[in-house]
Amino acid sequence: MLEKEFKLFHFGLIISVLNFLLFHFPFFGFVVNHVDVDYKSFNGILLIISLVIAMLVANFFVIYLFFYLSRRFSKVLFSLFFLINSIALYFVTTYSVIIDESMISNVFNTKYEEASSFFSIKFLVYILFLGIVPSIFIIKAKLIKPTLKRFSITSLVSLFFLIVLVFANASNWLWIDKNSKTLGGLAMPWSYSVNTSLYFIHEKQRNAKEILLPTAKITDNEKSVVVLVIGESARSENFSLYGYKKDTNPLLSKVDNLHHFKANSCATYTTAGVKCILEHTSSNELYEILPNYLYRNNVEVIWRTTNWGESPVHIKKYETRDYLRPKCEGEDCDYDGVLLSGLKEEIKASNRNKILVILHTSTSHGPTYSKKYPPRFEKFKPVCNSVDLGKCTQTELMNAYDNTIVYTDYILNSIITDLKDLKEYNSTMLFVSDHGESLGEKNLYMHGVPKSLAPKQQYEIPFIVWVSDSNKQLKPANNTILSQNNVFHSVLNFLSIDSPIYDENMNIFKK
């Protein structure tokens, strides 16, 4: 078959049909499950048939156009599309993700260590049979180029056909518009092609210039330290502090002066969630973030991280896992416990009265939950050890995730213990997660679903606060749901920092 010559028209149809059959079961599964009318009704059937034909014709038109203009370039391009399609389909079917702009952001902000945890035999099978095999056909195919007249007629007929389909579905425009983000995120290869372009355009706009905040002033000389722990993929639903039936907070539940609040994340992915925690207001602009702002205004700032995805941090003490590991001893040093190594001593060595410590953890990030904590914290068994979460039982998956929360409980309690030893300081610890996590509910896994569509498990997060001085009171919760932006203003209040952008309504502490 590879030795046979194909007319470009026939080749375009073959590639369009292959692309449709191999990569669009999730797309039409969503359509069937979410169409506002019965999909067996006339209007439902019309919508589904129209989307099928529109997808085939639109893809045919693009393939036909590209191969007419340049066969060599197009063979490379569409072979690459099939390879990326196979990878994208693996994540869509395995983790129920949608390839929108936020997911593209996750891709470009993921390091090899995290990405490698997704590799599996199933992943390789997808690449081989859905990516490499079709790509070989595309590269080897011999094509007969049509005349300009034939090309023009075919192109015009295709465009006319698409226009007719659009107007024939006038009654379904509102439904298509309502679900356009999801439909666009499941249409291959246009989901990642378009959203990658949008991602870089928006990143360039956001990073064009960091907007500096007005100068702040420290108003007293009392020694104060704030430890802000940014959690990763921790959902409040699995914290016993929030009513979870399993005892995932055996240590924190016994700590005095500990408070927990209901809270929602700004987004369901790390870069946006961390940005929101560190900014004074939710915005698409790149405002000066909390560590940069306080460092510029004479506060000692220490950033320790086993994670990534934060906005640019401009401070002296930015300490990564690789920096901390050689100075750390014990089993915890291979996990987020490394962030605590020598921390108390570093705080005591500071010559500043006001100190902010930010610990950016990675404890509950999937899919390898069972590898995120030392073996002694495997409290709940059996656990899921597969990266293909759908192959694990719900009990195994939940146990593995719950063990990460038990380890988080240990880390937070250790921080509090260290802060209690710093008796000369007024101290507080704030734990806020970047976003939540899906664990098989509604057949969704991990995170990254657009917040407008996401289940509550992906945005209901823990917001836990401990204070050293019982006289330092917190405002009553009164069923208030906090946002991640409360962090910025609460830190300013605790460190006695006066700023024109301070918002008392966003502060959780009493004056």
Side-chain angles (χ1 to χ4, degrees):
M1 187 175 179
L2 296 180
E3 300 301 322
K4 180 181 177 181
E5 288 189 329
F6 293 93
K7 290 183 178 179
L8 185 54
F9 178 85
H10 296 148
F11 178 78
L13 285 178
I14 292 171
I15 300 302
S16 180
V17 170
L18 268 179
N19 182 66
F20 171 80
L21 293 177
L22 295 180
F23 304 112
H24 288 92
F25 284 106
F27 180 97
F28 286 98
F30 175 84
V31 173
V32 169
N33 291 327
H34 292 83
V35 66
D36 291 337
V37 297
D38 183 354
Y39 67 88
K40 295 180 181 179
S41 68
F42 174 77
N43 205 42
I45 293 173
L46 174 64
L47 173 63
I48 294 172
I49 291 176
S50 296
L51 286 173
V52 170
I53 296 174
M55 183 173 287
L56 288 170
V57 175
N59 285 335
F60 164 79
F61 173 74
V62 173
I63 294 165
Y64 192 67
L65 173 63
F66 270 74
F67 274 89
Y68 180 82
L69 296 175
S70 174
R71 278 173 286 182
R72 288 184 179 179
F73 171 77
S74 297
K75 284 188 174 188
V76 174
L77 178 64
F78 282 89
S79 296
L80 184 62
F81 277 160
F82 269 75
L83 286 169
I84 300 176
N85 281 0
S86 66
I87 297 171
L89 184 68
Y90 169 79
F91 283 94
V92 169
T93 57
T94 305
Y95 301 110
S96 299
V97 303
I98 297 173
I99 314 296
D100 62 355
E101 188 178 347
S102 64
M103 189 56 62
I104 295 299
S105 175
N106 288 338
V107 171
F108 284 105
N109 287 282
T110 295
K111 295 185 178 180
Y112 175 78
E113 177 185 351
E114 180 181 335
S116 61
S117 66
F118 292 100
F119 295 161
S120 66
I121 298 299
K122 179 181 174 182
F123 181 71
L124 295 177
V125 169
Y126 270 60
I127 293 177
L128 175 61
F129 290 102
L130 302 182
I132 295 177
V133 172
S135 296
I136 293 173
F137 169 70
I138 292 172
I139 293 294
K140 294 288 187 178
K142 298 178 180 179
L143 305 179
I144 302 173
K145 188 175 182 179
T147 63
L148 178 60
K149 180 180 179 181
R150 173 60 61 184
F151 167 78
S152 300
I153 293 172
T154 303
S155 299
L156 289 173
V157 170
S158 300
L159 288 173
F160 177 77
F161 201 76
L162 287 173
I163 293 171
V164 170
L165 280 175
V166 168
F167 283 99
N169 277 275
S171 61
N172 292 313
W173 286 356
L174 288 177
W175 183 89
I176 293 173
D177 180 68
K178 173 185 173 183
N179 296 283
S180 59
K181 193 167 187 177
T182 303
L183 295 173
L186 294 174
M188 308 293 175
W190 317 117
S191 54
Y192 56 83
S193 301
V194 173
N195 285 309
T196 297
S197 300
L198 292 175
Y199 167 76
F200 281 110
I201 290 170
H202 294 155
E203 279 298 296
K204 183 177 181 181
Q205 293 171 345
R206 279 193 291 266
N207 294 320
K209 185 178 181 182
E210 185 178 72
I211 303 172
L212 297 181
L213 300 177
T215 301
K217 181 174 69 174
I218 299 173
T219 60
D220 65 41
N221 293 320
E222 290 187 7
K223 294 173 83 67
S224 303
V225 57
V226 175
V227 177
L228 168 61
V229 184
I230 300 177
E232 170 63 65
S233 305
R235 69 187 205 180
S236 57
E237 186 174 305
N238 287 59
F239 281 68
S240 52
L241 288 174
Y242 286 85
Y244 190 48
K245 293 182 179 180
K246 293 163 72 174
D247 187 15
T248 54
N249 299 126
L251 300 175
L252 291 180
S253 60
K254 301 173 184 176
V255 173
D256 294 331
N257 299 331
L258 190 84
H259 310 264
H260 60 278
F261 300 87
K262 294 180 180 178
N264 289 340
S265 62
C266 297
T268 61
Y269 58 101
T270 298
T271 51
V274 174
K275 180 175 182 287
C276 194
I277 291 171
L278 300 178
E279 282 193 328
H280 72 289
T281 186
S282 294
S283 170
N284 289 327
E285 302 292 340
L286 184 64
Y287 283 105
E288 189 174 21
I289 57 176
L290 181 64
N292 299 346
Y293 185 49
L294 295 190
Y295 180 74
R296 187 167 63 85
N297 286 280
N298 301 313
V299 173
E300 177 85 86
V301 180
I302 302 167
W303 183 293
R304 292 183 164 201
T305 180
T306 60
N307 209 328
W308 42 82
E310 70 274 358
S311 301
V313 178
H314 310 305
I315 64 172
K316 183 179 180 180
K317 294 184 177 180
Y318 182 90
E319 301 168 356
T320 64
R321 182 202 304 268
D322 291 340
Y323 172 84
L324 297 168
R325 184 63 181 85
K327 305 173 185 178
C328 184
E329 295 182 0
E331 183 183 40
D332 287 327
C333 300
D334 294 323
Y335 304 90
D336 274 344
V338 72
L339 298 175
L340 309 186
S341 177
L343 178 60
K344 182 170 63 173
E345 292 71 23
E346 187 168 10
I347 293 172
K348 292 173 72 172
S350 174
N351 58 6
R352 301 284 177 89
N353 289 331
K354 306 297 182 182
I355 302 174
L356 169 65
V357 178
I358 298 177
L359 307 179
H360 189 190
T361 68
S362 59
T363 309
S364 296
H365 197 294
T368 52
Y369 304 111
S370 63
K371 296 181 180 180
K372 292 293 187 175
Y373 51 84
R376 72 182 190 275
F377 288 93
E378 196 155 279
K379 179 177 181 178
F380 306 107
K381 300 178 181 180
V383 298
C384 173
N385 290 306
S386 173
V387 299
D388 189 350
L389 302 182
K391 290 185 177 180
C392 296
T393 67
Q394 186 65 15
T395 298
E396 290 171 335
L397 178 56
M398 202 63 73
N399 283 345
Y401 181 82
D402 286 342
N403 289 333
T404 71
I405 305 302
V406 174
Y407 188 48
T408 297
D409 179 79
Y410 163 78
I411 289 173
L412 298 183
N413 183 72
S414 299
I415 293 168
I416 292 170
T417 301
D418 282 349
L419 291 176
K420 285 179 178 179
D421 289 340
L422 299 172
K423 299 186 185 301
E424 68 272 30
Y425 286 91
N426 293 325
S427 55
T428 185
M429 182 210 70
L430 289 78
F431 173 73
V432 185
S433 187
D434 56 356
H435 51 75
E437 190 86 335
S438 283
L439 297 170
E441 300 89 0
K442 299 180 181 178
N443 202 35
L444 292 174
Y445 296 95
M446 297 183 61
H447 53 268
V449 174
K451 192 178 177 183
S452 59
L453 302 170
K456 65 180 183 178
Q457 287 85 1
Q458 291 195 26
Y459 60 78
E460 289 188 352
I461 57 171
F463 196 121
I464 300 171
V465 182
W466 172 84
V467 288
S468 61
D469 183 0
S470 59
N471 294 320
K472 186 68 174 179
Q473 301 292 320
L474 284 88
K475 296 176 181 177
N478 295 328
N479 290 320
T480 301
I481 298 178
L482 300 184
S483 80
Q484 292 168 320
N485 292 136
N486 285 94
V487 170
F488 187 102
H489 302 277
S490 300
V491 171
L492 261 59
N493 175 276
F494 193 90
L495 295 177
S496 302
I497 295 172
D498 182 34
S499 169
I501 49 90
Y502 172 73
D503 184 350
E504 173 59 28
N505 293 325
M506 297 294 289
N507 164 46
I508 64 172
F509 299 105
K510 288 184 178 179
K511 288 187 176 181

